[in-house]
Amino acid sequence: MSKVLPDFLYLIRAFGKKFLMLGILFLPLLVKAQTANFSVSLSSHCGNGTATFTDTSGPEVTHWLWDFGNSNSLDTDDPAKGKNPSAIYPGPGVYTVSLIVNGGVPVTKQVIIYPNPEPDFSPSVTTGCEPIDVILTASANDVNVDPYKIGDTDVGGVNAGTITSYQWDFQGKIPGVIESDP
């Protein structure tokens, strides 16, 4: 609650009913609805992930109403729950998260979970006698996820983009291996 309201109640007691009538007209102008704000941190941007939210609305927040965009919400007066909640996002998509504090103005932000990359490679030869030179050519297709629903909540689709680098792991030492970019 804003400091204005207790001051207003004191003035009513001090000056009586005339001030009350005048105050009722102007009180909505004095008490501002609080605008929400928050930041988000993701454990993973690919496949699935857990998001931790931090309310940055200000010190006077006494009520939080979160909609996490994944069919889950939180409506609480408990700062231990409302100030830094977390939510699990089970699959790729664009999730719209909203926060309303103290019944004020909501703010929305998006949490984007991208699909896991699907790399592939092909060898230049698959049979031969030792020693054999094999060239592995890396490739991957762009991964796209169409919009879908979780419960009654629409989750937007995501284009994962293009794989631009690879990390090779040959599961041990192989003599004569030369690694290079794709």
Side-chain angles (χ1 to χ4, degrees):
M1 177 171 28
S2 126
K3 184 180 179 323
V4 172
L5 191 55
D7 291 345
F8 175 72
L9 294 175
Y10 171 78
L11 291 173
I12 290 172
R13 279 188 236 120
F15 296 102
K17 290 181 182 179
K18 290 180 185 176
F19 188 80
L20 175 61
M21 296 301 288
L22 185 61
I24 289 173
L25 294 174
F26 291 102
L27 183 61
L29 299 174
L30 298 173
V31 178
K32 289 191 233 174
Q34 191 163 358
T35 300
N37 200 10
F38 65 93
S39 62
V40 60
S41 173
L42 281 170
S43 64
S44 172
H45 292 274
C46 292
N48 58 39
T50 299
T52 301
F53 301 95
T54 302
D55 171 31
T56 59
S57 305
E60 295 182 4
V61 176
T62 58
H63 186 84
W64 294 263
L65 176 58
W66 291 92
D67 181 343
F68 298 112
N70 61 355
S71 292
N72 293 310
S73 61
L74 175 65
D75 189 353
T76 185
D77 294 327
D78 183 353
K81 293 178 182 176
K83 189 80 176 155
N84 299 306
S86 61
I88 295 172
Y89 294 94
V94 177
Y95 300 87
T96 301
V97 178
S98 68
L99 172 62
I100 299 173
V101 295
N102 298 344
V105 180
V107 67
T108 61
K109 296 184 181 183
Q110 292 184 330
V111 171
I112 301 174
I113 305 291
Y114 294 97
N116 284 321
E118 297 181 5
D120 197 3
F121 67 92
S122 55
S124 60
V125 294
T126 56
T127 60
C129 296
E130 204 175 309
I132 185 171
D133 288 331
V134 178
I135 298 172
L136 301 176
T137 303
S139 63
N141 294 327
D142 290 346
V143 179
N144 297 308
V145 175
D146 292 328
Y148 60 98
K149 283 188 176 282
I150 297 178
D152 293 331
T153 303
D154 290 320
V155 177
V158 174
N159 178 329
T162 303
I163 295 174
T164 58
S165 64
Y166 298 84
Q167 180 178 347
W168 296 93
D169 184 353
F170 294 102
Q171 300 296 315
K173 187 174 181 181
I174 301 174
V177 171
I178 300 171
E179 294 185 41
S180 67
D181 290 332

